[in-house]
Amino acid sequence: MSYPIRTTSEFLSVLKKNNQLWIIDKPVDPYLELAKVHREVCKRKGPALLFTNVKGSSFPVATNLYGAADRILLAFSEKRMQAIPQLAHLALHLQEQKKPSVISLLKEAKQFLHVGRKRITKGFNYTALSGDAIAKLPQIHAWKDDGGAFITLPLVYTKSLLNQAENLGMYRIQLFGKNQVGIHMQIQRGGNLHYYEAENQNQPLPARIFIGGAPALTLATIAPLPQNIPEWLLASFLMGEKIPYFQKNKQELPIFANTDFIITGELPPKERKVEGPFGDHYGYYSLAHLYPFMNVESVLHKKNAIYPATVVGKPIQEDHYITEFLQDMLSPLYPLVMPHVKSIWAFEESGVHTLAGAVVQNTYPREALTAALRILGEGQLSLTKVLFVTDQPIAIKNFTLLLETLLARANWETDLFLLTHASQDTLDYNGKKLNHGGKAIFMGIGDPKYTLATHWQGSFYNTNFGDAYVFCKGVLCVSAKVKYDLSPNLAEKLVLEEDIQAFRLVILCDDAKETIKNKNAFLWNVFTNFDPALDLYGKQKQAGLHIGITGTLIIDSRRKTWYAPPLIEDEATEKKVNEEWLPLIEKACRTMGTK
């Protein structure tokens, strides 16, 4: 197998050779049908898809390229996958003032000599789309209440007008047509900072949107890198060679070679358009809001261009595997930028930013809190809503183990910290205002202090409480017989129930049986349905300005009236796919993809 992989077509060839690609000549409608086929294949852990006959467009569409861990690994050589751990190892040695031999230092450093990017002048073979160019792109419409079609794997390049800092970000790009696109620039992203700076100068922000190209560039664009590290640098590390680009002069934004599509334009200052709603990776619709937009100057495509795309929705989808891959890959770097942190894991099943766990250092009293605050101040990790922190050397990916370790050690009077007026992920609607909400740090350190209950044999005095089930040691889920809007204070009454007091954490939910079905169900039903500033309950104990909880802590994870609606399949599309596609899908998933 020849590495590095530089283009979409090269990656598809590798997938085909490894029986990981289903080439589909059957006509497919980009309105709902294509996305539904993708979801059914993804649900069955099936292969990558290449739709060669997409209605309304002359370009083939490739999806589910990264929908399995082993499929992502096919994009890179084994040697390159060791580059980042080796870099972290070398840097830690130098930080710790350990002096590796000159020979070993040169040996480790040699592989980084070809990292960076290089300007090229030949091979620019792109064709411009004429007329309403945006309308000629595949118009993928994933969910029935989406505000339109959008680009799902865009690489949005911007540069600061103040200091020339660069950013490649992946922001949802709504296809408005008439050579305009919306750009869903979320808070805490580099592109949003560049637009803010340009807007303050009343200047338009030039931008380029790339689609396709080297898998390394796509994955690096998604990676949660520190603000001052360019994404193309990570892509170069992964490829083991410099990233080629075209640039006529220093005033022009660069064009990364080998990308399939290039959209060029400007974001006018102090102007907004309604963008959305769109189904997102939380499993809900992100609602319509005013966002910046780009006036498109040109849309270019290479010969035989392929349009890579993905489909998001309730976890687990293709982006689950991307998120886990990036976390595994970047985890050796965490101790470099956050010395008190040993390991971190964001649980994609809950929507990534909703919940993270961390193993931290605690060599003196409350040092763990210092580490927790450091995590909440780091790049995209600052969007974390709930952070579980322990000093125990556990496998951080094991959610049940993490939760039980925490509950056996956390004193709710002193080890629960709430930030009640904080920024929240743009896609999280648990707060009552966009981008606003609470955060919580749950800290469980030292030796176990509590015995965790394992069985429920109790009953409820209040008849508004229904079935109750144990999820894991110390955790009880209780069904509410009434919806939140009819009884918003029901959690306060649950605090008074005597039989729940044996449990350290109690979840009040709409359907307890569904919530405890498995780990994924618990993560999604609980953590996408509560705001720490609004939905934590218990018997309060105040010491000065600090309010702690004595005894059982309760989370009200019932759906609230202001939440965004969950994603529901379109009945007509589901019927069509079941009748016309399901036998083909099941056959392809039996013979191709991850086993």
Side-chain angles (χ1 to χ4, degrees):
M1 197 175 296
S2 179
Y3 288 101
I5 296 174
R6 301 182 179 93
T7 67
T8 306
S9 58
E10 286 178 2
F11 188 34
L12 290 174
S13 295
V14 169
L15 296 179
K16 184 178 180 181
K17 288 178 183 177
N18 285 270
N19 199 36
Q20 291 271 352
L21 179 66
W22 179 19
I23 300 175
I24 304 170
D25 298 324
K26 177 181 170 65
V28 64
D29 194 333
Y31 179 78
L32 301 183
E33 184 180 16
L34 184 151
K36 176 61 176 174
V37 171
H38 168 104
R39 289 194 294 272
E40 290 299 318
V41 171
C42 192
K43 183 167 63 177
R44 292 166 173 78
K45 298 184 178 180
L49 310 173
L50 179 62
F51 298 94
T52 63
N53 192 352
V54 180
K55 294 179 182 178
S57 179
S58 60
F59 300 108
V61 172
T63 76
N64 206 29
L65 297 175
Y66 309 105
D70 59 346
R71 191 143 67 239
I72 296 176
L73 292 176
L74 287 173
F76 311 105
S77 69
E78 188 174 339
K79 180 179 179 181
R80 294 316 305 167
M81 290 308 301
Q82 296 303 315
I84 289 179
Q86 288 170 354
L87 177 65
H89 174 75
L90 179 62
L92 282 171
H93 266 63
L94 295 175
Q95 274 190 2
E96 295 167 2
Q97 297 183 335
K98 295 179 181 178
K99 296 181 179 179
S101 69
V102 174
I103 294 176
S104 65
L105 187 62
L106 289 174
K107 185 178 179 182
E108 289 196 64
K110 184 179 179 181
Q111 63 178 306
F112 305 121
L113 296 178
H114 301 290
V115 169
R117 61 182 179 181
K118 60 181 179 181
R119 185 177 177 182
I120 59 176
T121 57
K122 297 180 180 179
F124 188 83
N125 298 313
Y126 285 85
T127 301
L129 289 174
S130 59
D132 188 355
I134 294 301
K136 295 179 180 179
L137 298 174
Q139 304 290 299
I140 300 175
H141 192 122
W143 294 95
K144 64 178 181 178
D145 291 327
D146 281 358
F150 71 102
I151 302 172
T152 54
L153 286 178
L155 320 180
V156 182
Y157 180 91
T158 57
K159 182 183 286 189
S160 169
L161 300 185
L162 297 180
N163 58 22
Q164 302 302 297
E166 300 171 274
N167 181 258
L168 261 179
M170 189 165 287
Y171 317 117
R172 187 171 65 217
I173 305 297
Q174 183 168 352
L175 303 180
F176 289 137
K178 297 181 181 178
N179 291 325
Q180 270 191 351
V181 297
I183 302 187
H184 187 93
M185 282 185 169
Q186 295 167 252
I187 60 174
Q188 294 290 343
R189 306 300 167 93
N192 190 58
L193 173 61
H194 294 167
Y195 182 67
Y196 173 82
E197 293 171 345
E199 199 168 46
N200 280 347
Q201 300 178 67
N202 201 31
Q203 295 292 318
L205 179 67
R208 293 196 198 275
I209 300 171
F210 304 103
I211 307 171
L217 199 59
T218 296
L219 294 179
T221 300
I222 307 170
L225 295 174
Q227 195 77 19
N228 57 349
I229 298 180
E231 288 75 12
W232 54 260
L233 184 60
L234 174 58
S236 178
F237 267 108
L238 291 173
M239 296 179 71
E241 67 177 21
K242 294 184 178 181
I243 301 295
Y245 70 98
F246 302 101
Q247 191 175 34
K248 291 180 181 179
N249 53 62
K250 290 185 178 180
Q251 286 69 45
E252 182 184 69
L253 298 183
I255 292 176
F256 293 105
N258 301 316
T259 52
D260 292 81
F261 297 87
I262 307 162
I263 304 173
T264 297
E266 289 185 335
L267 285 66
K270 301 178 182 178
E271 293 187 47
R272 303 289 190 274
K273 290 191 72 168
V274 174
E275 188 267 1
F278 283 107
D280 63 46
H281 66 267
Y282 275 71
Y284 304 97
Y285 283 99
S286 60
L287 303 181
H289 298 284
L290 293 171
Y291 277 95
F293 61 90
M294 174 196 275
N295 289 319
V296 175
E297 298 167 4
S298 65
V299 179
L300 308 177
H301 67 92
K302 66 188 292 187
K303 184 179 180 181
N304 299 321
I306 297 168
Y307 187 89
T310 189
V311 177
V312 294
K314 181 180 176 180
I316 293 174
Q317 303 290 337
E318 180 182 3
D319 55 335
H320 169 87
Y321 302 98
I322 297 173
T323 301
E324 294 210 332
F325 168 79
L326 291 172
Q327 290 194 84
D328 282 332
M329 180 180 66
L330 296 174
S331 60
L333 299 178
Y334 293 146
L336 288 176
V337 295
M338 296 178 285
H340 301 283
V341 177
K342 297 179 180 180
S343 60
I344 303 174
W345 191 255
F347 291 91
E348 192 279 333
E349 301 92 335
S350 70
V352 185
H353 295 310
T354 306
L355 172 69
V359 174
V360 302
Q361 183 174 295
N362 193 62
T363 58
Y364 60 83
R366 317 309 277 178
E367 182 184 10
L369 178 59
T370 301
L373 295 173
R374 179 67 181 85
I375 292 168
L376 292 181
E378 179 61 39
Q380 291 187 38
L381 285 170
S382 65
L383 293 175
T384 301
K385 180 170 71 175
V386 177
L387 180 62
F388 287 174
V389 177
T390 184
D391 63 340
Q392 301 301 300
I394 63 172
I396 196 68
K397 295 182 187 180
N398 186 331
F399 171 72
T400 303
L401 175 62
L402 170 63
L403 182 55
E404 292 177 348
T405 300
L406 182 89
L407 294 179
R409 293 164 174 80
N411 178 349
W412 302 137
E413 291 186 36
T414 57
D415 298 334
L416 173 63
F417 303 90
L418 297 180
L419 301 173
T420 56
H421 294 281
S423 60
Q424 202 64 278
D425 186 7
T426 301
L427 303 179
D428 190 325
Y429 284 88
N430 294 162
K432 290 190 174 182
K433 184 180 178 182
L434 183 67
N435 291 331
H436 290 70
K439 296 181 184 294
I441 300 170
F442 293 72
M443 195 164 72
I445 58 176
D447 296 326
K449 305 180 185 72
Y450 305 95
T451 300
L452 303 182
T454 58
H455 300 286
W456 164 256
Q457 294 178 330
S459 59
F460 296 106
Y461 174 78
N462 191 312
T463 58
N464 284 322
F465 301 118
D467 296 336
Y469 302 94
V470 175
F471 169 68
C472 66
K473 294 177 183 178
V475 181
L476 182 71
C477 293
V478 178
S479 291
K481 291 183 178 179
V482 289
K483 300 297 183 183
Y484 178 86
D485 58 332
L486 298 177
S487 183
N489 298 321
L490 187 60
E492 294 178 1
K493 298 175 182 178
L494 185 57
V495 171
L496 304 176
E497 292 287 342
E498 183 177 345
D499 287 355
I500 69 166
Q501 303 305 321
F503 290 87
R504 306 242 45 232
L505 180 64
V506 174
I507 312 297
L508 179 62
C509 50
D510 292 312
D511 187 340
K513 191 172 184 179
E514 171 63 26
T515 300
I516 61 99
K517 185 167 62 175
N518 52 45
K519 178 199 73 170
N520 293 350
F522 184 86
L523 284 166
W524 189 75
N525 282 291
V526 174
F527 292 95
T528 67
N529 281 318
F530 90 98
D531 179 344
L534 301 174
D535 300 316
L536 290 178
Y537 295 86
K539 296 176 182 177
Q540 296 183 4
K541 180 179 180 181
Q542 187 164 349
L545 290 178
H546 179 80
I547 298 176
I549 300 296
T550 61
T552 300
L553 179 66
I554 292 172
I555 294 175
D556 186 349
S557 69
R558 292 176 295 166
R559 285 193 54 77
K560 316 303 189 295
T561 52
W562 60 88
Y563 285 6
L567 300 176
I568 300 173
E569 295 287 356
D570 176 65
E571 291 183 6
T573 303
E574 189 165 30
K575 182 175 185 293
K576 181 179 181 182
V577 170
N578 286 343
E579 292 175 354
E580 298 182 16
W581 286 90
L582 209 53
L584 300 174
I585 291 171
E586 291 178 343
K587 180 180 178 181
C589 293
R590 282 196 305 269
T591 58
M592 290 179 278
T594 302
K595 299 297 182 288

